[in-house]
Amino acid sequence: MAGTSTFVIRWINFLTILLGVAVICFGVWMSTHHDSCRKSLTLPVLGLGALILLVSLIGFLGALKDISILLWMYLVMLCLILVVILVSTVLAFIITNNGSGHTVAGLRYKEYQLQDCSSWFIKELSNTRNWEHLKSCLVKSEDCNNLPKKYKTLKQYKMAELTPIEAGCCRPPSECGYPAVNASYYDLSFHPVSSNNDCKLYKNARAIKCYNCDSCKAGIAQYMKAEWRVVGIFNLVLFVVLSMVYFVGCCARRNAARSHSSKT
């Protein structure tokens, strides 16, 4: 039984070593192929890959050489990783639970409002330093400036299914009542029919648009929520897989201890 458990954990950790190397390689690729905004994601990716690689190496060597202290280190570190994954997943689903968007007549997409988001998102996006960085990324991303290329006629634009970022950052809220001339220009000569401050903040200039609007912050929040939910689902799968690995590791450690006590 000890040999079987050790053999299983050895090969499971060999596969996770390969996974850790793959994640690290992806992080290196991101650092060399993405702009300065997306490079902020490379450190977490590299850190995750390094952690997976380290824990897997410890478990693999512990099972291969039957070294008790390495198996103990492996089990403790894996337990901590499981706790972190579980807590972060629960928090991610709690934070992303609010703000489902508002349907607007005549539009094929929803509009989002900052007050519908969780207090955490409101606090983070209202932080001037955080928002200035995000805003610079939005300007560089060319999402808004690419809309006229995607929708060459006004009819195409009105029938488009805009993303939350495009809907919140590239155009004024529908309640303002500004008529669209094309995908990148609105007639601002009309007096806004709403008291929403975003109506005053929107400008047709490429570097301004609605980047200072609460609707833009809400669009960013919705985009982040969608990403976090994907990560949350991935974390649940990862938690199940690592829990199985942890169980096998416990079996290997227990059987190794029994084998050692029987020899003595």
Side-chain angles (χ1 to χ4, degrees), residues 177-210:
Y178 295 134
V181 178
N182 54 47
S184 63
Y185 191 88
Y186 282 78
D187 188 350
L188 303 184
S189 63
F190 282 70
H191 183 75
V193 297
S194 171
S195 60
N196 189 337
N197 191 51
D198 288 355
C199 300
K200 299 178 181 179
L201 293 175
Y202 175 82
K203 304 296 178 184
N204 287 314
R206 297 179 60 172
I208 302 178
K209 292 295 182 181
C210 215

Side-chain angles (χ1 to χ4, degrees), residues 97-138:
N97 189 43
N98 296 332
S100 58
H102 300 269
T103 302
V104 179
L107 298 181
R108 302 181 65 185
Y109 52 87
K110 291 182 178 181
E111 291 187 339
Y112 299 89
Q113 298 179 0
L114 187 60
Q115 61 265 29
D116 294 334
C117 300
S118 67
S119 58
W120 185 89
F121 271 119
I122 295 176
K123 179 181 177 181
E124 290 298 310
L125 294 174
S126 297
N127 181 284
T128 303
R129 183 178 178 182
N130 292 343
W131 184 246
E132 286 300 319
H133 173 71
L134 287 171
K135 187 168 67 173
S136 67
C137 289
L138 287 171

Side-chain angles (χ1 to χ4, degrees), residues 31-234:
S31 67
T32 57
H33 288 75
H34 284 167
D35 56 38
S36 59
C37 296
R38 295 180 184 177
K39 279 187 178 180
S40 61
L41 298 174
T42 59
L43 286 180
V45 171
L46 290 172
L48 176 61
L51 186 60
I52 293 175
L53 184 60
L54 176 62
V55 174
S56 300
L57 281 171
I58 292 175
F60 183 78
L61 292 175
L64 182 65
K65 301 295 184 179
D66 196 18
I67 303 175
S68 179
I69 190 170
L70 288 182
L71 286 174
W72 272 115
M73 290 175 59
Y74 164 74
L75 292 175
V76 170
M77 293 180 68
L78 190 56
C79 182
L80 291 175
I81 291 174
L82 287 171
V83 172
V84 170
I85 290 176
L86 183 61
V87 172
S88 62
T89 301
V90 172
L91 288 177
F93 280 110
I94 292 176
I95 291 174
T96 60
N97 189 43
N98 296 332
S100 58
H102 300 269
T103 302
V104 179
L107 298 181
R108 302 181 65 185
Y109 52 87
K110 291 182 178 181
E111 291 187 339
Y112 299 89
Q113 298 179 0
L114 187 60
Q115 61 265 29
D116 294 334
C117 300
S118 67
S119 58
W120 185 89
F121 271 119
I122 295 176
K123 179 181 177 181
E124 290 298 310
L125 294 174
S126 297
N127 181 284
T128 303
R129 183 178 178 182
N130 292 343
W131 184 246
E132 286 300 319
H133 173 71
L134 287 171
K135 187 168 67 173
S136 67
C137 289
L138 287 171
V139 175
K140 292 177 182 179
S141 69
E142 293 288 322
D143 285 344
C144 294
N145 296 329
N146 286 332
L147 286 179
K149 300 176 184 178
K150 293 168 62 177
Y151 311 110
K152 299 185 182 299
T153 66
L154 182 60
K155 183 178 180 180
Q156 289 178 339
Y157 178 57
K158 289 184 175 181
M159 294 297 294
E161 295 184 20
L162 301 184
T163 67
I165 292 179
E166 291 172 342
C169 303
C170 305
R171 53 182 291 280
S174 297
E175 61 182 288
C176 298
Y178 295 134
V181 178
N182 54 47
S184 63
Y185 191 88
Y186 282 78
D187 188 350
L188 303 184
S189 63
F190 282 70
H191 183 75
V193 297
S194 171
S195 60
N196 189 337
N197 191 51
D198 288 355
C199 300
K200 299 178 181 179
L201 293 175
Y202 175 82
K203 304 296 178 184
N204 287 314
R206 297 179 60 172
I208 302 178
K209 292 295 182 181
C210 215
Y211 294 138
N212 291 314
C213 302
D214 283 348
S215 63
C216 186
K217 296 176 181 179
I220 292 290
Q222 182 63 25
Y223 170 80
M224 294 173 65
K225 283 160 56 177
E227 294 292 307
W228 284 22
R229 284 171 183 169
V230 172
V231 172
I233 294 173
F234 173 78

